[in-house]
Amino acid sequence: MATITFHGAAGTVTGSCHLLKLGRYRFLMDCGQFQGPWELEKMNYERFGFNPKGLTGLILSHGHLDHCGRIPVLYKQGFDGDIYCTPPTRDIAALIMMDSAHILKEEFLWKQRRLTRAGIKVKEPLYSVEDVFYAHQLFTRQILYDKPVEPVPGVKLTFKLREAGHILGASQVVVEFKEKKSRKWKKILYTGDIGDGGRPMVNDPAGPEQGIDALIMESTYGDRDHRSYEDSVLELEEAITTTVKRRGTVLIPTFALERTQEILYHIAEMKRSGKLSKRVPVFLNSPLAINITRLYEKHRDFCQVFNDGRFSRRRSPFDMPNLKFTETVEESKAIHNVAGPKIVLAGSGMMTGGRIKHHLKHNLWKENTTLIVVGFQAMGTLGRKLVDGAKEVRIFGEPVAVRARIYTINGFSAHADRSNLIQYAKAARPEKLFIVHGEPHAQGALRKTLAKLLPHTEIYLPRLGESFRI
Ligand SMILES: [Zn+2]
């Protein structure tokens, strides 16, 4: 008997973790962290709804923290099976999990300083750098797209990864199996996170496989369409060129993975085409983003921009005159003293921490500064306050007047929009459809539309811990 149980991203976007029971074998698809408000994040510390020791293996769709961020916890609780993923995902997951371990440790030390004096015992971090190191030893099975593998010799079961067009190395997962007394093979398709296509940094997503018994589909943007990508690139270019004319600073808060590389590529294209002076300095001010950018160059077969022959091992799409990678804190501080127009990319993406906060403090009050927001800003974050038009904000406890121009550009999402999700589900025509990785209103809107378009498909919005027979 085959079942699937949803242990995360069920009625929410984060914490992807789906358990497949195929006869005596049990595989996990993704094991991500819950992210967002504390009520959600505290679930990272709760017990898994299964025994990690009994798992045969884990298939990882991609390296975002909400898909790989609890793998070190699995390891700590006894998991020692093989982890299957593409080569870029293996490298990206190592950096993302390690970064997470450092952040967890910093948060722990900060809480300890504040709470120990009040006599409150602080919970140990979710995992340590050592846990990440050992967990990464389990990433033993690297799979290329469209090359099926048999995880258990002699058992009628195959895994296949397909291009997802989301971030470097991201995959859709196809699991096929034949139960003992059955004549028919069954097929499960998990989209992981899937993109829109037409993006420079990742190849277009593959269309759905046919003959799907169960489709597990993400629904982040199940209720809305994106602005056109071309318009978003033009808006980015316009914001940069007008600020450079005013001899101001352009600040772009970005997440280290994917958005940074995409924006960096567009700035390099502006310099290559003459839209932007080669003399304008561009700072990539994030050690994690710098390391991830190098992975895009290493795994260029997975990167759309290398397909047309303009770029190669020696000629990177990110290369441009006056690009500076600033790794140390001293180098980062020195950026404040650089006169004239300049462009700074730094994390965190929602401006809640990281080096961007220092740049905001130094520049938000200046009229010739431009802040370009290219990612989602959650409620309560500094980024959201700025996007909502705050005239003054507090940074490191000090009031800072907001005189900078603020651009919000929404078309750079790495997730498929509503129209593309609908088209994908229609093309797949599965027997059963499980809508995951979305807020309830996005899931509900998508289900309503798909119920009309796919009258023969059973559609479910699984709840946390809910199991279904396949
Ligand atoms: Zn993702």
Side-chain angles (χ1 to χ4, degrees):
M1 191 177 84
T3 61
I4 177 149
T5 312
F6 297 90
H7 291 283
T12 169
V13 171
T14 59
S16 284
C17 185
H18 313 306
L19 177 67
L20 280 179
K21 279 190 197 163
L22 308 169
R24 35 197 281 253
Y25 304 101
R26 301 194 310 146
F27 290 93
L28 215 53
M29 295 195 292
D30 290 345
C31 189
Q33 267 183 36
F34 293 96
Q35 294 175 282
W38 173 240
E39 303 85 74
L40 210 55
E41 293 204 348
K42 73 175 190 220
M43 287 163 64
N44 292 321
Y45 291 83
E46 287 170 14
R47 294 195 69 78
F48 290 108
F50 50 85
N51 179 7
K53 271 188 198 157
L55 293 172
T56 319
L58 183 150
I59 315 164
L60 179 60
S61 69
H62 66 289
H64 270 145
L65 191 67
D66 64 324
H67 291 258
C68 72
R70 281 224 282 173
I71 290 175
V73 187
L74 270 189
Y75 160 78
K76 269 174 85 172
Q77 296 186 9
F79 169 62
D80 65 351
D82 290 316
I83 297 178
Y84 300 75
C85 64
T86 61
T89 297
R90 183 180 186 276
D91 287 353
I92 289 171
L95 292 178
I96 295 293
M97 295 188 301
M98 203 51 99
D99 184 60
S100 168
H102 287 300
I103 292 170
L104 289 165
K105 187 175 175 186
E106 275 171 31
E107 281 175 359
F108 168 75
L109 293 174
W110 183 79
K111 279 187 194 160
Q112 204 179 37
R113 275 196 300 273
R114 281 166 55 108
L115 299 177
T116 309
R117 268 173 282 165
I120 300 169
K121 195 172 178 324
V122 181
K123 228 180 202 165
E124 284 291 309
L126 193 58
Y127 50 79
S128 66
V129 165
E130 288 75 27
D131 296 323
V132 173
F133 175 81
Y134 288 113
H136 202 249
Q137 309 294 313
L138 303 175
F139 282 64
T140 47
R141 305 290 294 268
Q142 296 186 58
I143 316 184
L144 297 175
Y145 291 136
D146 302 311
K147 302 258 187 277
V149 295
E150 287 180 4
V152 189
V155 173
K156 291 191 169 27
L157 168 65
T158 63
F159 297 160
K160 188 167 66 178
L161 301 183
R162 308 196 76 209
E163 180 74 67
H166 171 60
I167 62 166
L168 188 75
S171 312
Q172 307 174 47
V173 179
V174 182
V175 177
E176 288 188 79
F177 61 97
K178 194 157 100 59
E179 290 174 281
K180 264 198 182 134
K181 284 170 197 153
S182 162
R183 263 185 288 154
K184 186 182 171 287
W185 281 73
K186 285 201 171 169
K187 200 189 268 194
I188 297 169
L189 170 58
Y190 168 44
T191 61
D193 289 357
I194 194 161
D196 275 324
R199 298 299 160 87
M201 284 301 117
V202 286
N203 292 318
D204 289 350
E209 292 247 321
Q210 296 304 299
I212 301 297
D213 294 279
L215 170 62
I216 302 156
M217 191 171 83
E218 72 129 312
S219 60
T220 317
Y221 289 99
D223 58 347
R224 60 207 129 130
D225 280 335
H226 299 320
R227 251 192 98 186
S228 108
Y229 189 73
E230 292 71 24
D231 287 350
S232 301
V233 174
L234 287 175
E235 212 179 327
L236 173 76
E237 292 178 351
E238 199 259 339
I240 291 174
T241 47
T242 49
T243 313
V244 168
K245 268 190 210 138
R246 289 149 45 104
R247 303 194 57 75
T249 298
V250 179
L251 297 180
I252 312 180
T254 52
F255 292 104
L257 172 53
E258 209 278 326
R259 197 64 42 87
T260 291
Q261 290 74 33
E262 203 171 343
I263 300 295
L264 204 55
Y265 164 75
H266 285 302
I267 297 171
E269 285 286 273
M270 286 177 75
K271 287 201 176 183
R272 283 190 280 268
S273 66
K275 285 180 186 167
L276 176 65
S277 163
K278 292 186 169 59
R279 290 199 301 274
V280 175
V282 178
F283 298 94
L284 179 54
N285 188 14
S286 154
L288 178 62
I290 292 167
N291 287 333
I292 290 176
T293 302
R294 290 183 178 131
L295 291 183
Y296 274 72
E297 291 163 342
K298 175 182 172 189
H299 295 290
R300 51 194 179 282
D301 294 353
F302 289 78
C303 204
Q304 171 83 25
V305 79
F306 285 98
N307 293 348
D308 66 7
R310 277 197 301 152
F311 303 104
S312 62
R313 184 193 293 270
R314 297 221 175 111
R315 190 173 144 75
S316 160
F318 311 112
D319 271 351
M320 64 181 115
N322 284 310
L323 169 64
K324 297 181 174 66
F325 285 178
T326 46
E327 306 218 27
T328 67
V329 174
E330 286 69 33
E331 286 170 329
S332 173
K333 283 182 182 159
I335 297 173
H336 305 313
N337 303 324
V338 177
K342 58 181 181 285
I343 302 171
V344 183
L345 284 88
S348 69
M350 295 193 204
M351 300 171 244
T352 47
R355 294 180 177 181
I356 194 70
K357 281 182 82 174
H358 295 274
H359 295 293
L360 290 167
K361 188 180 154 189
H362 277 83
N363 294 288
L364 267 183
W365 54 275
K366 296 177 190 162
E367 277 175 2
N368 62 353
T369 296
T370 295
L371 174 68
I372 307 180
V373 180
V374 289
F376 175 74
Q377 305 298 310
M379 289 291 278
T381 59
L382 175 59
R384 182 61 169 261
K385 284 179 195 151
L386 289 166
V387 165
D388 286 347
K391 294 275 176 282
E392 187 183 282
V393 288
R394 289 189 84 79
I395 301 176
F396 301 122
E398 286 175 35
V400 180
V402 183
R403 297 207 185 93
R405 290 189 190 189
I406 299 176
Y407 287 77
T408 309
I409 307 178
N410 288 326
F412 287 106
S413 174
H415 291 272
D417 67 7
R418 173 181 167 78
S419 300
N420 280 322
L421 289 173
I422 289 171
Q423 205 181 355
Y424 184 95
K426 264 171 70 184
R429 285 196 296 134
E431 300 248 324
K432 289 184 174 144
L433 169 60
F434 301 97
I435 300 176
V436 296
H437 199 291
E439 300 295 347
H441 54 89
Q443 292 186 311
L446 195 60
R447 167 154 79 176
K448 208 169 153 194
T449 307
L450 289 177
K452 285 186 203 134
L453 295 169
L454 296 168
H456 303 297
T457 298
E458 295 170 36
I459 304 179
Y460 301 95
L461 309 185
R463 290 189 304 270
L464 199 66
E466 203 174 359
S467 293
F468 297 85
R469 221 177 142 162
I470 308 274

